[in-house]
Amino acid sequence: MVGRQQVIDFLIELQERICRQLEALDNVKFNIDRWQREPGAKGLSGGGDSRVLYGETFEQAGVNFSHVHGAQLPSAATHNRPELVGRSFEAMGVSLVIHPRNPYVPTSHANVRFFIADKPGEEPVWWFGGGFDLTPFYPFDEDVRHWHQVAHDLCQPFGATRYAEHKRWCDEYFYLPHRGETRGVGGLFFDDLCQPDFATCFAYMQAVGEGFTRGYLPIVLRRMDMDYGERERQFQLYRRGRYVEFNLVYDRGTLFGLQSGGRTESILMSMPPLARWQYGYQSEPGSAESRLLDYLTAQDWLSISKEN
């Protein structure tokens, strides 16, 4: 049995819990924007709760909950599943992106989502998706190991191969072909999850959602008070440009939202508040900035032995 209300209740509670944790760390409250929309030209209706924080630790942190209905799945959702073309859909999820102020604190993203595609006279088709990933500018090996250890451990109840499979999926998904580099040091990514049953898939989605803060907040606490200067800040803004490139060109969630007629402000809340591009940028050989390129490729982070 598909427990739609169970998923909705969990997502609302997850958003609230994550927001409370971020507020406590930065001592700043989220701005809350609860919204509803009537069916538009593309038949999309529903509502959500978009929350944005502007603080000293988090230059911008956005944590969204949405629950929408649509008359037809957009191409971003049916590209790999043509049998779903023409079905109406219900989509719900929590999505967050955190852009810290200190360049030594990584940017991070997470989302968990649930879709149901309906067609009269047929059984609904449902699936879960989500994951989390980490995008450092000045990587620290202990941070990367910790991040992946949390991911590994939460996957263990769901099979010995789950971490390796969803880590690899994350490495492959968060990749910029035109740059020849990953967006960061990865994490977990999954989509179209519907086996073996609803209860197991829902439990995994919950584990991923709840694991995000266990992985991320200890890293923030280690790095948020480190001294930095204009050089580090400018490098951070330059690397944020890569984040924008991925989200606007490749990210399926962004494309799904825009193609389905979703709420633009909420969809583009993932963009950093400031970013820059520089023609032909080259980091100085042997510099802290040049080190980053060593991390922008898929690796076995649990066995990493380099020291900062």
Side-chain angles (χ1 to χ4, degrees):
M1 182 175 179
V2 179
R4 304 184 193 210
Q5 192 58 48
Q6 288 178 271
V7 179
I8 294 170
D9 292 343
F10 167 74
L11 292 170
I12 292 173
E13 195 278 332
L14 178 67
Q15 181 195 36
E16 183 64 30
R17 180 154 26 99
I18 291 174
C19 287
R20 287 197 303 264
Q21 291 175 292
L22 297 178
E23 287 176 341
L25 196 152
D26 210 350
N27 199 30
V28 177
K29 293 292 185 182
F30 274 86
N31 300 311
I32 299 176
D33 181 16
R34 294 188 174 95
W35 52 274
Q36 290 286 332
R37 61 176 296 169
E38 297 301 319
K42 297 186 178 181
L44 192 70
S45 63
D49 182 345
S50 297
R51 302 187 183 189
V52 185
L53 179 151
Y54 301 101
E56 288 302 313
T57 299
F58 305 119
E59 188 170 9
Q60 179 177 297
V63 186
N64 278 342
F65 164 76
S66 63
H67 180 198
V68 298
H69 306 257
Q72 182 171 313
L73 279 161
S75 59
T78 61
H79 177 72
N80 295 321
R81 301 184 66 176
E83 73 276 12
L84 299 180
V85 172
R87 283 181 176 251
S88 62
F89 71 92
E90 184 177 351
M92 59 197 75
V94 166
S95 179
L96 65 91
V97 177
I98 300 174
H99 294 288
R101 190 174 299 275
N102 190 316
Y104 290 108
V105 182
T107 287
S108 192
H109 154 266
N111 80 85
V112 285
R113 56 190 182 272
F114 180 58
F115 285 83
I116 307 173
D118 290 303
K119 188 174 183 179
E122 297 186 17
E123 288 292 314
V125 178
W126 58 266
W127 67 95
F128 289 92
F132 50 60
D133 66 288
L134 193 71
T135 307
F137 308 108
Y138 293 92
F140 293 87
D141 294 345
E142 65 173 319
D143 296 347
V144 180
R145 281 195 298 266
H146 164 76
W147 178 255
H148 278 273
Q149 191 66 56
V150 170
H152 172 273
D153 292 350
L154 73 84
C155 285
Q156 290 310 290
F158 302 95
T161 63
R162 176 62 58 91
Y163 167 73
E165 292 168 352
H166 288 185
K167 175 199 178 294
R168 182 171 61 252
W169 202 343
C170 187
D171 291 334
E172 293 172 352
Y173 180 79
F174 291 106
Y175 182 76
L176 288 80
H178 64 287
R179 298 290 190 180
E181 61 189 37
T182 56
R183 189 170 78 171
V185 296
L188 300 172
F189 180 85
F190 67 100
D191 204 358
D192 301 323
L193 184 68
C194 58
Q195 298 293 335
D197 53 47
F198 174 83
T200 304
C201 295
F202 182 31
Y204 180 62
M205 187 263 262
Q206 290 174 288
V208 171
E210 293 167 347
F212 169 74
T213 51
R214 293 201 306 274
Y216 187 56
L217 294 187
I219 297 173
V220 176
L221 288 167
R222 278 198 292 266
R223 308 301 169 197
M224 59 187 282
D225 294 324
M226 291 182 66
D227 292 334
Y228 68 92
E230 186 62 19
R231 171 175 171 165
E232 291 82 9
R233 175 63 168 171
Q234 288 301 311
F235 185 66
Q236 176 196 48
L237 298 183
Y238 170 70
R239 291 301 310 184
R240 280 180 178 176
R242 295 286 204 274
Y243 209 88
V244 174
E245 290 175 21
F246 179 86
N247 279 24
L248 293 182
V249 178
Y250 300 110
D251 185 63
R252 284 176 59 186
T254 302
L255 296 176
F256 175 89
L258 297 176
Q259 291 172 1
S260 63
R263 190 171 186 265
T264 304
E265 285 298 306
S266 297
I267 297 165
L268 296 182
M269 192 177 68
S270 64
M271 296 298 106
L274 293 172
R276 74 181 186 92
W277 284 260
Q278 179 177 332
Y279 182 84
Y281 172 85
Q282 295 289 329
S283 58
E284 181 181 341
S287 66
E289 291 77 20
S290 67
R291 261 186 89 248
L292 177 61
L293 293 179
D294 294 337
Y295 291 76
L296 301 183
T297 184
Q299 300 180 45
D300 177 7
W301 299 113
L302 293 177
S303 63
I304 187 172
S305 59
K306 294 182 294 183
E307 296 296 335
N308 297 117

